[in-house]
Amino acid sequence: MNALLALGLFNRGEDGAPPAKWLLSTLTWYTITVSPRWNQLVFISDAPDNVTRYLVPHGDSTPRLPGMRLRAIHDYRTYALEHVPTGARLVVTSRLDGKLQGVREGSHFDFRTLDDPLDSVEERQLADVPPIGDAAQTLLAGMAARMSMTDPKGRWATGNWYWDPLRRDDGRGRDDDSDPRRRLWGAGDEWEAQWTGLPYPEDVAAALTDPMVGISGARLAKSERAYDVTFGDSVLKIHI
């Protein structure tokens, strides 16, 4: 699920791969604290209702993350979700601790629930995604999980992919793109990422390979035009 989230979040515009049509990239304009837990992913936001609307299909065939469903609605504007194709769970909440407390019924939105099977549109959306190797899944999932990280020593920051928490002004102009283009695509063990605007490519590469919070075993190599993040037999080429 986290790898599919990355494909939805980091494809945008005419240059984007097919998951750009899921419209998940809009979430990178929200301030979301991404908190991976051992059994689920948690999105903490002061706008959980809106965030959930971009994740769960509702009404007719509005493009969202294909196969995502509402499990329950809890107190403190907390939504418990499940991705049916993978069985993975995601929580969207305004609670800073990310915990599930209380249960209430009903919603202002016609979210699809676990009683709703995948429709033909969702099946085609998933079929458009090429096979992803096991190690590559970890790399792609790592991008989604590190979408909102800042190194406490001020060496890198990913800033929800729309702002620079370190407020750098180094003349590279990464923060003046109000309509960024993004493409994250590949197959098997070979994937490539390229985008305009924030974050800095080297910051994403650093987040994935940081000795404290990076993917354990991931390695970083830099060439003139790209950062190659390798993990096992897989490689994610981040273009500069």
Side-chain angles (χ1 to χ4, degrees), residues 9-79:
L9 291 166
F10 308 132
N11 278 292
R12 185 179 187 276
E14 294 182 357
D15 297 332
K21 298 178 182 178
W22 304 350
L23 305 180
L24 294 190
S25 65
T26 305
L27 291 178
T28 60
W29 272 264
Y30 284 84
T31 300
I32 299 173
T33 299
V34 183
S35 179
R37 312 291 170 94
W38 71 271
N39 62 342
Q40 63 190 9
L41 187 68
V42 177
F43 281 0
I44 301 171
S45 169
D46 60 2
D49 310 281
N50 290 344
V51 170
T52 302
R53 287 183 66 191
Y54 280 100
L55 290 166
V56 182
H58 51 89
D60 49 19
S61 57
T62 304
R64 295 296 183 248
L65 185 64
M68 186 64 87
R69 298 292 186 265
L70 177 68
R71 286 184 59 86
I73 305 174
H74 297 260
D75 292 334
Y76 300 98
R77 300 164 66 205
T78 296
Y79 296 84

Side-chain angles (χ1 to χ4, degrees), residues 35 39 46 58 61 63 107 111 132 149 180-181 195 217:
S35 179
N39 62 342
D46 60 2
H58 51 89
S61 57
S107 168
F111 290 128
I132 309 175
M149 278 190 170
R181 301 178 303 279
W195 62 89

